[in-house]
Amino acid sequence: MKKTFILLAALFLSLNLSAQKKGKKAKEPVYTMTPQEAMAAYDFTLAEEILEHQIADLTRKKQSTIHEEALLEAARKSQIKLHATEQVTFIDSIILPKTQVLKQIKLSRECGTIMNYADFFKAGKHDGTLFINELGNRIVYSEPNEKGHLRLKEQSLIGGEWQMETQLKGFDEEEEDNFNFPFMLADGVTMYYAAECEESLGGYDIFMTRYDADNQQFLAPENIGMPFNSPANDYLMVLDEEQQLGWFVTDRNQPTDTVCLYIFIPTETRRIYNEQELGAKKLAARARISSIKDTWKDMNAVNSAKKRLAEARQGTKDEARKRDFTFVINDFRTCYTLNDFKDPLAQQKAKIWIETQKEYDAKVAELASLRNRYAQMNDAQRQQIAAQIRLTESTLERLAADKLNLEKEIRRVELNK
C-alpha cells in the first residue's frame, strides 16, 4: 500500500510540472539591433541568428520571407568573404559628394581616361562612368537594356568614326542584374567593374575579369572580396600601374549621395590576414576599413606612396620620360622602350612585335579607307573593290593573331627571367 502511494505521488508531481511547463511560453530572444545593423557592424553571425529567428516567426504566421531569406544569403556570403579579407595598405581617404569623385582620381596618361557617361555621349541615360583607353580608340561603358537594366558595352574608333556598339560577352546575366563603372588596365585584357547581382554582398560589388582572346569573350568574373566589397555599394576600382596607386569608391557609412574615395597601394600577390593571429574583432575592423592607419605596417612603402600621390595630385609626374610604345608585362610592370625589357630574347621579339603593330595599324587605316570608298561607289565599282576589302580583312585577322601570339611569348620570356 505504501509503495502504491509513493508511485501515485510521483505521478501527480510529474503531471503538475508538465502542466506548469506547458503554461509557460518559450522566452523570446531580445535583439538590440536589426539584421542590417548587425551586417553593417560586420557581425554576420548575429545577423544570421536574427534573420533565422525572423524567418521562423514569419513562417509560423504564414507571411512572406523572401526579403529575409535574401538578407540571410548575403550574411552567409559576407561571413565567408570576411575570413578571406585581403591585406591592403590604405594611404588616404576622402569623403566627398558622389558627383566629385572623378576630379580626385589623377591617372597617368597610359592608364586611359575615366569620364561620366553623360559627358561623353551628351545624354543623361544614367549616372555611370565611361572608360577610354590610352590610344583613344576604344570605349567601354554601360547602357540600360530594354527593361532598364545596365549592361556593359564597347565601341571602337576606326577611320575616325565610332563603330556600332557591341555588348561584352562572357557574363552570366540574370534579368535584374546591373553592370556599371568599368575600368580596363593598360594590357587591354584585365577589367574591373561593379555589379548588382547574385554574387554581390549588398548593392554594388567590385568584380574582376580578363578577356579570353581565343574565345573572344571575358572569363567568369570574380568578386574581389573584402575589404573592397561590403554590404553597402562599392564600385569604380581603378589601378594606376605607372604610379603604383589604386582608388576605389564606397558609400558604406555615408549619407545619401556622399561616398568615400580610398587610395591604396596595389600588390602583385593577394595575401589574406591570418585570423588566428589577428583575432576576430581586428579582422572585422580591417574588413570595414575602420582605420587606415591600422594598415600601415611598412612606413617606407606608405611614405613613398604618399609622395607619389602628392605628385599625381600636383601634376608633377615626369611626363618627359621616353615612350616609344606601351607594352604591359603584368598588372604592375609596363615597358615603354626596348631597354625596359630585361631579357635579350624578349627584346628581340619586341622588335618583331613593333613592326607587326605598325603593319597592323597601316592595314586598319587602309581598310577604313576602302570601306569609305565602297560606301560612295555604284554596284559595279563595289564588285571590283569587294575582293580587296576581303583580302585586307583577312590580313588584319592574321596580323592580330600574330600580335597576340608575340605578346604572349614576350610576357612568358620576360616573366621567366
Side-chain angles (χ1 to χ4, degrees):
M1 184 70 180
K2 184 177 180 180
K3 185 176 181 181
T4 303
F5 176 77
I6 293 172
L7 288 172
L8 288 171
L11 178 60
F12 175 78
L13 180 62
S14 175
L15 290 172
N16 188 43
L17 290 173
S18 177
Q20 289 180 10
K21 288 181 179 178
K22 288 182 178 179
K24 291 182 179 180
K25 291 184 179 179
K27 188 176 181 181
E28 292 288 326
V30 177
Y31 299 109
T32 60
M33 60 176 66
T34 66
Q36 291 89 342
E37 290 172 337
M39 291 179 68
Y42 281 53
D43 192 342
F44 302 114
T45 301
L46 177 59
E48 287 185 47
E49 181 183 327
I50 298 172
L51 287 162
E52 286 171 352
H53 175 75
Q54 289 180 348
I55 290 170
D57 186 50
L58 290 169
T59 301
R60 283 194 299 270
K61 296 176 181 178
K62 297 183 179 180
Q63 296 179 5
S64 174
T65 61
I66 293 176
H67 176 65
E68 286 72 19
E69 287 176 352
L71 282 176
L72 179 59
E73 180 64 22
R76 288 171 174 168
K77 287 189 293 188
S78 298
Q79 183 76 301
I80 295 172
K81 294 293 184 183
L82 176 63
H83 295 309
T85 299
E86 182 179 355
Q87 295 185 39
V88 180
T89 301
F90 293 94
I91 63 170
D92 200 1
S93 63
I94 310 169
I95 296 175
L96 71 171
K98 185 177 179 180
T99 56
Q100 302 298 311
V101 166
L102 296 186
K103 295 180 180 179
Q104 296 295 327
I105 300 177
K106 307 297 183 181
L107 287 176
S108 302
R109 181 179 59 188
E110 57 271 15
C111 291
T113 305
I114 310 171
M115 62 187 302
N116 291 315
Y117 172 96
D119 291 340
F120 184 89
F121 286 109
K122 308 302 180 186
K125 286 189 178 181
H126 64 92
D127 63 351
T129 56
L130 176 143
F131 171 77
I132 310 173
N133 67 351
E134 179 191 6
L135 298 176
N137 60 2
R138 183 187 184 191
I139 56 174
V140 184
Y141 54 96
S142 65
E143 278 215 337
N145 60 15
E146 62 278 2
K147 294 187 177 181
H149 297 291
L150 298 172
R151 296 293 183 262
L152 293 174
K153 298 184 178 182
E154 68 175 342
Q155 290 186 45
S156 296
L157 183 67
I158 299 178
E161 295 183 0
W162 290 105
Q163 304 302 298
M164 183 178 297
E165 67 180 15
T166 57
Q167 185 168 323
L168 302 187
K169 298 179 181 178
F171 300 88
D172 186 12
E173 300 166 351
E174 297 294 335
E175 183 177 334
E176 301 297 319
D177 292 348
N178 285 301
F179 301 84
N180 206 343
F181 310 105
F183 177 78
M184 298 286 299
L185 294 188
D187 60 7
V189 173
T190 308
M191 181 175 68
Y192 289 89
Y193 68 97
E196 287 182 307
C197 63
E198 186 179 357
E199 297 303 317
S200 301
L201 303 181
Y204 274 106
D205 268 17
I206 301 169
F207 291 78
M208 187 275 289
T209 181
R210 298 180 191 277
Y211 187 71
D212 180 358
D214 294 332
N215 294 315
Q216 296 185 344
Q217 67 178 28
F218 284 89
L219 299 172
E222 298 178 11
N223 183 310
I224 66 173
M226 297 180 182
F228 300 110
N229 289 325
S230 73
N233 290 297
D234 310 284
Y235 48 92
L236 193 58
M237 170 69 76
V238 176
L239 298 180
D240 189 319
E241 301 147 296
E242 175 68 12
Q243 298 180 133
Q244 282 295 283
L245 295 171
W247 292 261
F248 91 97
V249 184
T250 179
D251 66 8
R252 65 186 79 173
N253 305 318
Q254 302 301 325
T256 304
D257 295 328
T258 300
V259 297
C260 185
L261 173 65
Y262 284 98
I263 301 94
F264 63 96
I265 304 175
T267 57
E268 291 191 44
T269 305
R270 189 181 191 276
R271 298 179 59 193
I272 66 174
Y273 285 106
N274 186 321
E275 187 173 357
Q276 291 183 339
E277 292 181 1
L278 191 62
K281 289 185 177 180
K282 288 186 177 180
L283 179 66
R286 297 290 193 279
R288 290 197 310 269
I289 322 177
S290 59
S291 170
I292 64 173
K293 288 186 178 180
D294 288 343
T295 70
W296 296 357
K297 301 304 179 185
D298 183 345
M299 289 309 301
N300 288 330
V302 170
N303 291 330
S304 178
K306 284 187 172 185
K307 181 180 178 181
R308 297 195 300 274
L309 178 60
E311 291 174 348
R313 286 171 171 168
Q314 296 169 9
T316 56
K317 181 174 174 289
D318 182 16
E319 293 294 343
R321 177 182 175 183
K322 179 177 174 60
R323 287 182 172 88
D324 295 330
F325 51 80
T326 299
F327 190 98
V328 178
I329 299 297
N330 56 26
D331 290 354
F332 304 95
R333 184 172 161 228
T334 304
C335 295
Y336 301 101
T337 69
L338 288 174
N339 291 331
D340 290 340
F341 293 97
K342 298 177 182 179
D343 190 283
L345 179 58
Q347 288 185 3
Q348 294 177 11
K349 290 182 177 294
K351 292 179 182 178
I352 301 173
W353 173 80
I354 292 170
E355 294 305 315
T356 305
Q357 181 68 54
K358 290 179 180 178
E359 187 177 357
Y360 178 86
D361 292 341
K363 286 296 178 182
V364 167
E366 179 183 338
L367 181 60
S369 176
L370 288 170
R371 285 173 173 169
N372 286 335
R373 288 166 55 193
Y374 183 89
Q376 301 172 15
M377 291 178 172
N378 57 39
D379 290 341
Q381 293 172 322
R382 286 177 176 177
Q383 290 180 2
Q384 297 176 356
I385 201 173
Q388 189 176 354
I389 289 176
R390 288 194 294 270
L391 178 61
T392 306
E393 289 174 337
S394 177
T395 303
L396 267 176
E397 291 179 3
R398 176 183 60 78
L399 289 171
D402 290 346
K403 278 202 312 150
L404 180 61
N405 291 333
L406 279 167
E407 289 166 4
K408 290 179 178 179
E409 184 63 15
I410 291 169
R411 292 189 183 100
R412 184 191 66 79
V413 172
E414 188 70 8
L415 291 173
N416 286 337
K417 176 64 176 175

